[in-house]
Amino acid sequence: QLVYPYDFRLTEKEKTSICYLSFPDSYSGGLGDTQFSFRLRQSGGQRTTHYEDDGEYNREAPLTLQRESAHYFGYVYFRQVKDSSMKRGYFQKSLVLVSRLPYVNLFQSLLQLIAPEYFDKLEPCLEAVCNEIDQWPPPVPGQTLNLPVMGVVIQVRIPSRVDKPGSSPVKQFNQENLLPAPLVLPSIHELDLFRCFQPVLIHVQMLWELMLLGEPIVVMAPSPTVSSEMVLALTSCLAPLRYCCDYRPYFTIHDSEFKEYTTRTQAPPNIVVGVTNPFFIKTLQHWPHILRVGELRMSGDLPKQVKVKKLTKLKTLDTKPGIYTSYKTFLHKDKTLIKRLLKGIQRKRPSEVQSALLRRHLLELTQSFIIPLEHYIASLMPLQRAITPWKNPPQIRPFRQEDFMKTLEHAGPQLTCVLKGDWLGLYRRFFKSPNFDGWYRQRHKEMTQKLEALHLEAICEANIVAWMKDKSEVEIVDLVLKLREKLVRARCQHLPVKEETLQRVGLYIETIIGSLPEDLQTVLHHH
């Protein structure tokens, strides 16, 4: 009905998709208000964003919180109430916030404030809210922001890449005597993992392995809320490793990718997809891993845990909750986590304490797995003394899987993790997954930039006049052009180089040009 701000350009295809994704697609008798999220592939090519600082934000934000370039997130507030004046006997409407940022807690809290007002006062309310949001500062990683909206100040800290993984967000912000007292969100994006994983706590490790390997998973849930929370919880359980596959927290049969995902002529894609329409049980039964969950109910005891069942047990009509898969885990089960969580339930510990336990367990698991890889890749970096000013920097040595495997005997995950099992098999399978590819590219890019930065510093330390003594004009001009190119690259790619180093290289270039005959100087200044 309405897009605000008006100048926000969406293609027709995107509009249609957003409409379908903004409503529950299977009958749920539930009335009242529900909230859920979706993620949507952008259609119609790259559009320029208003964020010129995209690069800067993405360089400083944790990899898991970067701004997406090819997808939108949709955050939905859906209201359904009986209304005899309507043709269907119901008033049904959704207010959707579209963003490239995965700040699920911030945006859902924002909708809780705006949506009830909007359903009441309609467009003028949105106009007022958008005017306030326009005044918000941009998200800068590491900063705590106060965001005023509708008489409330939301206070959040934007996480940064240099935060220590697993450190809890700072509880006590600088209150600055804000009146009214701000609505403090402890985290901008972290879900209540304990609540999301309620029915699968004893299988958390298996789910972690499936996510690590980028396996295709279907989450079948009774509502878009449960489906989107479960999918987002799954994708977050590899942090600080970035989950590099596609994921759809909520997916409907009207989706433009529906055919692509349900075809039987090729293997299912590496994606986690959340669905609620029972029709999917039939169309996706060839997928290798199907997680069927019921309504999430928080109760005082350990909720009924789903069982792992064979895929052949998948009944198209009445599928009971369970994990339908023939997957055998590489690592043995860790009983200590469940014992700790059970103790927490008996002692009536708050859900956020249980979530922190769960998150720390997953973090330690991911770190045990990734630290040996980090050690090995660091050993591929050339020695600093091999970096000389007048030669191109040496190459990073290639990643050899077999060489890496040999390092595991004395420096493997067993140093930091008590879990036994087939770690080697897990690594071998991981090497085939998009998550390894994404991790390796990211590291390789960072190392290449580091090398480039070290090379610039070596040039700065060098005695350029001595080098020029016995060189021909051609060699000197060649050096000027190469240095210039390096300088441009350092600025464009924001290499980790001190500003003074860049300025010194700039001065060097001027010095060298100054020593050349005038006709060449003119040419180089115009070049």
Side-chain angles (χ1 to χ4, degrees):
Q1 270 182 352
L2 175 73
V3 176
Y4 211 97
Y6 302 120
D7 59 358
F8 184 63
R9 293 267 168 271
L10 286 167
T11 63
E12 284 311 307
K13 191 174 169 187
E14 286 166 346
K15 279 185 190 163
T16 310
S17 297
I18 289 173
C19 289
Y20 280 125
L21 287 166
S22 303
F23 287 93
D25 74 339
S26 54
Y27 173 73
S28 59
L31 289 175
D33 296 357
T34 49
Q35 287 180 264
F36 56 92
S37 327
F38 61 79
R39 182 168 171 271
L40 164 80
R41 191 184 292 177
Q42 187 177 296
S43 69
Q46 289 283 328
R47 254 151 293 170
T48 51
T49 60
H50 350 289
Y51 314 111
E52 298 313 315
D53 69 324
D54 235 19
E56 199 172 331
Y57 171 81
N58 278 353
R59 272 193 310 280
E60 294 174 10
L63 294 173
T64 48
L65 289 182
Q66 288 181 330
R67 218 180 239 124
E68 294 251 0
S69 57
H71 290 86
Y72 290 123
F73 292 97
Y75 302 98
V76 184
Y77 191 106
F78 169 68
R79 173 169 286 184
Q80 175 170 311
V81 284
K82 277 204 162 93
D83 181 346
S84 50
S85 70
M86 296 284 188
K87 204 160 66 182
R88 292 179 156 189
Y90 286 109
F91 165 88
Q92 287 177 314
K93 205 169 215 173
S94 280
L95 182 63
V96 186
L97 193 150
V98 176
S99 171
R100 294 178 183 279
L101 291 164
Y103 295 169
V104 58
N105 290 351
L106 173 61
F107 292 136
Q108 291 292 14
S109 308
L110 187 59
L111 283 172
Q112 282 170 14
L113 296 169
I114 305 170
E117 250 335 75
Y118 165 71
F119 292 133
D120 197 26
K121 303 200 171 79
L122 301 176
E123 202 174 334
C125 158
L126 283 194
E127 188 167 358
V129 164
C130 285
N131 285 338
E132 287 190 286
I133 294 176
D134 269 344
Q135 306 301 312
W136 287 4
V140 176
Q143 286 193 2
T144 295
L145 306 180
N146 292 315
L147 310 172
V149 63
M150 288 177 47
V152 179
V153 174
I154 303 177
Q155 194 173 70
V156 286
R157 180 181 179 277
I158 310 291
S160 151
R161 201 174 291 189
V162 295
D163 296 345
K164 207 168 136 285
S167 59
S168 60
V170 194
K171 281 283 182 287
Q172 198 51 47
F173 292 119
N174 178 0
Q175 296 290 347
E176 289 168 34
N177 306 328
L178 287 171
L179 288 169
L183 166 65
V184 178
L185 300 184
S187 161
I188 203 161
H189 67 290
E190 285 182 348
L191 297 164
D192 182 341
L193 267 197
F194 180 65
R195 194 176 61 88
C196 298
F197 283 152
Q198 281 279 310
V200 293
L201 289 170
I202 59 173
H203 307 297
V204 157
Q205 212 173 295
M206 175 195 231
L207 294 169
W208 175 84
E209 281 189 26
L210 292 173
M211 295 305 291
L212 181 73
L213 301 174
E215 286 286 311
I217 302 176
V218 186
V219 173
M220 293 186 173
S223 70
T225 310
V226 177
S227 124
S228 59
E229 289 200 336
M230 183 61 95
V231 171
L232 291 176
L234 286 169
T235 55
S236 76
C237 74
L238 296 181
L241 187 66
R242 182 187 188 159
Y243 176 71
C244 296
C245 309
D246 202 355
Y247 61 99
R248 296 300 150 91
Y250 172 53
F251 186 78
T252 75
I253 54 176
H254 305 288
D255 206 285
S256 51
E257 274 102 63
F258 179 73
K259 280 201 177 64
E260 193 182 313
Y261 294 168
T262 50
T263 170
R264 307 217 166 188
T265 52
Q266 61 209 56
N270 301 84
I271 177 173
V272 181
V273 55
V275 301
T276 61
N277 193 325
F279 179 68
F280 278 110
I281 297 178
K282 200 168 163 199
T283 53
L284 296 179
Q285 60 187 0
H286 61 295
W287 279 45
H289 318 287
I290 294 173
L291 167 58
R292 171 88 166 141
V293 287
E295 278 297 348
L296 295 182
R297 290 191 181 82
M298 284 296 271
S299 57
D301 39 5
L302 183 69
K304 195 169 173 336
Q305 296 294 293
V306 305
K307 293 190 170 64
V308 175
K309 306 176 182 187
K310 295 211 167 51
L311 278 157
T312 47
K313 291 268 195 308
L314 203 61
K315 296 276 183 293
T316 40
L317 280 170
D318 180 34
T319 296
K320 297 206 161 31
I323 301 178
Y324 294 84
T325 179
S326 55
Y327 180 80
K328 297 276 174 284
T329 56
F330 286 91
L331 305 179
H332 305 325
K333 225 182 215 152
D334 179 13
K335 302 265 170 39
T336 48
L337 174 70
I338 288 303
K339 285 182 185 146
R340 272 188 201 150
L341 291 171
L342 273 171
K343 194 183 275 177
I345 291 170
Q346 285 153 6
R347 296 189 175 163
K348 301 199 166 31
R349 273 192 210 131
S351 184
E352 55 265 29
V353 176
Q354 296 279 67
S355 281
L357 258 174
L358 196 50
R359 194 168 270 113
R360 197 170 76 230
H361 172 81
L362 290 165
L363 173 72
E364 285 167 3
L365 200 51
T366 301
Q367 283 180 325
S368 295
F369 182 80
I370 222 77
I371 286 169
L373 283 162
E374 298 281 6
H375 280 314
Y376 173 70
I377 203 166
S379 74
L380 303 177
M381 188 79 166
L383 294 171
Q384 199 144 353
R385 63 166 183 268
I387 301 167
T388 56
W390 318 121
K391 278 211 209 90
N392 278 335
Q395 296 284 305
I396 297 164
R397 290 194 298 285
F399 189 107
R400 294 209 166 85
Q401 294 179 10
E402 287 315 307
D403 289 354
F404 165 71
M405 293 304 216
K406 286 179 196 137
T407 66
L408 293 175
E409 277 170 54
H410 47 91
Q414 70 280 6
L415 297 183
T416 51
C417 189
V418 292
L419 282 186
K420 300 276 180 278
D422 180 10
W423 286 95
L424 295 178
L426 188 60
Y427 281 114
R428 285 214 163 84
R429 187 92 171 252
F430 176 68
F431 288 141
K432 300 191 180 90
S433 85
N435 291 329
F436 169 69
D437 191 53
W439 170 83
Y440 176 72
R441 279 167 195 242
Q442 174 69 27
R443 284 292 173 269
H444 198 273
K445 182 177 144 194
E446 287 165 6
M447 286 160 70
T448 309
Q449 293 186 341
K450 179 85 179 121
L451 262 181
E452 197 50 30
L454 288 170
H455 193 216
L456 274 172
E457 276 159 25
I459 291 168
C460 258
E461 302 301 312
N463 181 342
I464 212 141
V465 182
W467 179 83
M468 278 163 53
K469 272 206 184 93
D470 53 349
K471 297 295 181 286
S472 67
E473 272 176 17
V474 177
E475 288 174 293
I476 291 174
V477 170
D478 188 48
L479 176 71
V480 168
L481 298 178
K482 274 194 179 138
L483 284 180
R484 267 198 188 153
E485 191 192 335
K486 273 189 168 309
L487 210 49
V488 170
R489 213 170 35 227
R491 294 220 185 272
C492 291
Q493 296 180 358
H494 300 272
L495 294 185
V497 188
K498 295 190 205 67
E499 181 56 41
E500 57 189 301
T501 305
L502 296 178
Q503 284 173 357
R504 276 173 68 185
V505 174
L507 278 171
Y508 264 21
I509 295 173
E510 291 307 314
T511 314
I512 303 169
I513 294 177
S515 72
L516 291 165
E518 268 179 35
D519 55 339
L520 269 178
Q521 288 193 30
T522 320
V523 174
L524 284 171
H525 278 305
H526 285 298
H527 189 81

